[in-house]
Amino acid sequence: MKVLVAYATAKGSTRGIAERLGSCIEGFGQEVDVRAAADVSHVHSYDVIVLGSAIHDGQWLADASDAVERLRSQFEGKRVWAFSVSSVGVTSTTLSKRLARLLRRMTPEPRAVQLLRDAADVRDHRFFAGAIAPGDWPGFGRVVFRLMGGHYGDARDWSDVCAWAGTIAAESTRDTERRT
């Protein structure tokens, strides 16, 4: 089975998650390509597509949103998974734990993920927390970040990333075995 992990990143945190996903999926015996979403022109040769992006202002970056639009006609019959990287993930956060619990319940999916769901069989959409440095939030944003209980550093939960990769590999393998 051949898997594409495509991503859009602003500061590199999402690329790191995409690379780890690829590495973990390879560890389960799958063939994996990890590529920037902007560099993907077709997905015909892939059985599984994992598409992710950093979130800015509640939405995926333009490179990922453009990839959804550009490739949407090619997603039919593919197993698709999506991930978003922001300050709050399912298991970790750069914000206060209290605020993160609230945001996990209230944060809607980005528009690009909703469009992806309309075009493809999206098996899951996962939120991961990324890494944030003092210069990542400009000017007043730094003040707001601190007021939200924000702390700088790397909040990526690598065990959660690999566990999700295991879910992707296991479900994809089961689907393939059912088809044969």
Side-chain angles (χ1 to χ4, degrees), residues 17 20 90-92 128-130 154-163:
I17 289 172
R20 184 67 61 96
V90 171
T91 61
S92 61
F128 295 109
D154 191 342
R156 293 175 288 185
D157 181 345
W158 297 118
S159 61
D160 184 43
V161 171
C162 281

Side-chain angles (χ1 to χ4, degrees), residues 134 137-150 152:
W137 287 49
F140 186 67
R142 283 193 294 273
V143 174
V144 172
F145 179 69
R146 293 308 245 172
L147 289 172
M148 293 188 301
Y152 297 112

Side-chain angles (χ1 to χ4, degrees), residues 15-169:
R15 179 181 54 247
I17 289 172
E19 290 169 348
R20 184 67 61 96
L21 281 168
S23 174
C24 292
I25 293 169
E26 275 183 339
F28 289 102
Q30 312 299 327
E31 182 182 344
V32 180
D33 289 334
V34 178
R35 299 177 53 200
D39 297 338
V40 177
S41 60
H42 64 85
V43 296
H44 300 298
S45 62
Y46 298 100
D47 303 296
V48 177
I49 295 135
V50 182
L51 183 59
S53 178
I55 292 186
H56 285 195
D57 298 323
Q59 301 303 323
W60 273 13
L61 299 178
D63 283 350
S65 296
D66 292 347
V68 170
E69 286 293 327
R70 188 176 67 253
L71 301 169
R72 69 181 293 135
S73 66
Q74 298 178 40
F75 290 138
E76 188 173 333
K78 307 285 183 186
R79 290 160 286 203
V80 179
W81 301 73
F83 69 96
S84 297
V85 180
S86 67
S87 299
V88 179
V90 171
T91 61
S92 61
T93 183
T94 61
L95 304 177
S96 75
K97 290 181 181 182
R98 185 180 209 179
L99 181 58
R101 278 193 302 275
L102 176 68
L103 291 173
R104 284 182 187 115
R105 290 193 310 266
M106 295 178 50
T107 302
E109 283 188 337
R111 279 187 302 275
V113 175
Q114 294 168 7
L115 290 172
L116 188 60
R117 286 188 185 281
D118 290 342
D121 177 16
V122 177
R123 303 301 175 93
D124 188 23
H125 172 229
R126 183 81 169 183
F127 282 94
F128 295 109
I132 186 162
D136 290 348
W137 287 49
F140 186 67
R142 283 193 294 273
V143 174
V144 172
F145 179 69
R146 293 308 245 172
L147 289 172
M148 293 188 301
H151 56 277
Y152 297 112
D154 191 342
R156 293 175 288 185
D157 181 345
W158 297 118
S159 61
D160 184 43
V161 171
C162 281
W164 194 63
T167 300
I168 293 168

